[in-house]
Amino acid sequence: MFLLGIRRKMAFLRIFAVVFLVVAVMAVGDARAIDLLGDKLAIHGFASQGYLDSTGNNYLTASRNGTFQLNEFGLTLTSRLTDKFHLGAQFLSRDYGTVGNNEVRLDWALADYRFHDLLGLRIGKIKRPMGFYNEERDSDFLRPMVFLPQSIYDETRRDMLIACIGGGVYGNVPAGILGDFDYQFFRGWFDFPDDSTIARVTRMSAQNIASRKNLGTVTDLDMDNKYVVGAQVIFNTSIDGLRGAVSWQRGRHELILNNGALPSGDLAIRGKYVYSLEYVNGPLTLAGEYAETDREQKLFGTRTVDGRTQEWYVMGTWAFNEQVSLSLLYDLFYSDKHDHDGTYFTRQGKPDYLAWRKDFGAGVRFDLTPSWTVKAEWHEVDGAALYLELYNSLQNIKRRWGYGVVKVSYNF
């Protein structure tokens, strides 16, 4: 097993070297945004292609033999009609294993009117603030690593976190010598795509309970979001490069089974809290966030989830120059804040390490031009939380495993 892991890592490094050389040859110029209608309409875009490989367990897809099912394509249109009023929309196509399959979807679309620095209004399909980076998670060139820390920005929950249809207010409040505060508040609702990981996991859980209660086969599950509401306050301190934030969200979802032929279930996010801190000093960026998600799920009268998760990470990035940076990450997730040892799972005859995920990652980023970026990273993981059983048979899930990613991105 050790030699197999070494061979996989060496193969991963060879692929990275080939990708780096090819992109270096291609990157002969810089792309720019397209401005139309006398600068009233701007079109931006990005495209990325990645390669994902893993040892021990499949991750996000059938990745143990390597996969290129890791790409994103986006087109963003923005129109500044006046100094205070602008419109914007983004269309996104992505393929993350079985999720997305390159179907073009409206990622967000909004109208934004800023009355004053103290108050602005957004309506439409708006991005949801959560932590420092959720609103930017689809902009690969803004992230130091391929994946954001998965404890908080879990790709399997992206559809629950990225946007909602509704409205929100925002603004900036000066605080004198202390600095200033940015705030946001929103309320709305959102759809779950049928191929989303959270929908597939919930369907699998419903089928397990239905089988035990002799209720037949769950052929369809519709996750009907009733509402989502949230707020965020960012404190931009008077210390250069230092900011902190608090984010909060809650929501409720009705789980409709077999088009109502079976009793419906319920998933309540009673509160998700994220506490964030970031410090930037020249080439050094340090970031850390801590979160808890209090949730409850009921299916067929059985409470399948009840309690708080615990999530946190620390990450440091050092930019050697304008082209090359190195990032180190330690990322921790517990499915139950009060059960770090996995007692809940062992009582069900399952491995205790389904209760946690401890991830140490290291990555490099090369900005070959302002438009071309190449990233590569490797992660060593202890634990199998965050729905790993969806991609692996329960009896074959390994406690200790690893995964690596190479990704090429182009933006204009």
Side-chain angles (χ1 to χ4, degrees):
M1 180 64 70
F2 175 77
L3 291 177
L4 176 60
I6 293 295
R7 286 196 293 269
R8 297 296 293 277
K9 292 176 185 178
M10 292 303 295
F12 173 80
L13 289 174
R14 287 195 293 272
I15 289 174
F16 167 68
V18 171
V19 169
F20 181 83
L21 290 173
V22 169
V23 174
V25 172
M26 294 174 60
V28 294
D30 298 336
R32 300 182 184 276
I34 300 172
D35 294 315
L36 303 172
L37 303 177
D39 296 337
K40 290 293 185 180
L41 175 65
I43 301 176
H44 301 262
F46 59 87
S48 66
Q49 177 62 59
Y51 174 80
L52 172 65
D53 202 349
S54 63
T55 63
N57 296 317
N58 290 313
Y59 178 55
L60 295 179
T61 183
S63 61
R64 288 182 59 189
N65 293 318
T67 178
F68 286 96
Q69 287 187 297
L70 188 71
N71 64 59
E72 297 168 317
F73 304 93
L75 187 67
T76 305
L77 296 85
T78 57
S79 177
R80 185 168 295 278
L81 303 179
T82 70
D83 289 342
K84 294 184 177 182
F85 182 50
H86 77 267
L87 306 173
Q90 177 172 285
F91 297 91
L92 181 70
S93 165
R94 65 199 300 262
D95 184 19
Y96 274 52
T98 58
V99 176
N101 294 320
N102 290 131
E103 178 184 345
V104 178
R105 296 171 179 172
L106 181 64
D107 205 31
W108 56 266
L110 58 83
D112 186 318
Y113 190 87
R114 186 146 194 169
F115 301 93
H116 188 274
D117 287 346
L118 294 173
L119 179 64
L121 173 67
R122 296 187 182 110
I123 58 172
K125 187 173 184 180
I126 60 175
K127 293 183 179 181
R128 290 160 53 186
M130 185 197 71
F132 278 144
Y133 311 115
N134 192 57
E135 294 171 279
E136 303 170 354
R137 66 186 301 158
D138 291 327
S139 300
D140 193 63
F141 61 95
L142 296 177
R143 308 192 301 261
M145 302 181 73
V146 174
F147 294 118
L148 286 168
Q150 292 297 283
S151 62
I152 295 176
Y153 303 101
D154 176 15
E155 283 298 328
T156 65
R157 292 181 173 86
R158 179 189 181 277
D159 297 303
M160 294 184 68
L161 301 173
I162 188 64
C164 69
I165 300 171
V169 294
Y170 67 95
N172 178 270
V173 180
I177 61 172
L178 296 178
D180 61 80
F181 292 89
D182 292 312
Y183 73 88
Q184 295 192 59
F185 174 84
F186 69 89
R187 184 181 177 93
W189 60 274
F190 62 94
D191 283 326
F192 281 95
D194 291 337
D195 64 350
S196 67
T197 302
I198 190 69
R200 293 167 58 208
V201 167
T202 306
R203 190 160 48 241
M204 183 172 65
S205 178
Q207 181 59 69
N208 290 339
I209 297 173
S211 297
R212 291 202 303 266
K213 295 190 174 187
N214 296 317
L215 295 174
T217 302
V218 176
T219 58
D220 180 75
L221 182 144
D222 182 18
M223 300 186 71
D224 182 16
N225 174 249
K226 296 303 182 181
Y227 75 92
V228 61
V229 61
Q232 181 186 68
V233 176
I234 298 177
F235 177 30
N236 303 298
T237 75
S238 56
I239 301 173
D240 286 345
L242 180 63
R243 61 175 183 157
V246 177
S247 310
W248 164 81
Q249 296 188 19
R250 68 177 301 169
R252 179 177 170 269
H253 321 279
E254 183 181 5
L255 309 177
I256 303 172
L257 304 168
N258 290 3
N259 296 313
L262 293 174
S264 62
D266 186 80
L267 171 61
I269 306 299
R270 296 178 293 210
K272 183 176 182 68
Y273 308 86
V274 184
Y275 306 93
S276 312
L277 193 65
E278 181 188 74
Y279 178 64
V280 180
N281 187 351
L284 176 66
T285 300
L286 299 174
E289 295 187 287
Y290 176 89
E292 294 183 7
T293 304
D294 184 14
R295 74 275 193 247
E296 180 185 37
Q297 179 175 284
K298 294 180 181 178
L299 289 164
F300 305 115
T302 299
R303 184 178 288 108
T304 58
V305 176
D306 186 19
R308 289 174 176 259
T309 65
Q310 190 173 42
E311 315 148 26
W312 63 267
Y313 75 86
V314 290
M315 180 169 62
T317 300
W318 181 267
F320 296 97
N321 50 47
E322 292 184 355
Q323 286 76 41
V324 183
S325 63
L326 170 68
S327 297
L328 298 176
L329 167 73
Y330 184 72
D331 190 21
L332 182 63
F333 175 88
Y334 288 111
S335 61
D336 190 330
K337 176 183 177 180
H338 304 292
D339 184 19
H340 287 188
D341 297 328
T343 302
Y344 169 80
F345 290 99
T346 56
R347 287 174 178 170
Q348 300 181 65
K350 298 179 180 180
D352 57 358
Y353 49 84
L354 292 175
W356 67 78
R357 186 181 189 273
K358 304 172 184 179
D359 182 338
F360 175 76
V364 291
R365 169 175 171 158
F366 299 90
D367 291 304
L368 302 178
T369 75
S371 299
W372 286 96
T373 299
V374 179
K375 299 178 186 178
E377 62 196 56
W378 185 267
H379 297 254
E380 291 289 338
V381 184
D382 173 6
L386 296 176
Y387 304 135
L388 211 61
E389 66 271 24
L390 190 64
Y391 312 101
N392 304 270
S393 61
L394 186 61
Q395 61 270 27
N396 292 327
I397 292 181
K398 305 295 189 296
R399 172 177 173 175
R400 301 187 188 279
W401 56 288
Y403 67 97
V405 194
V406 176
K407 195 175 188 184
V408 180
S409 300
Y410 172 78
N411 72 87
F412 65 89

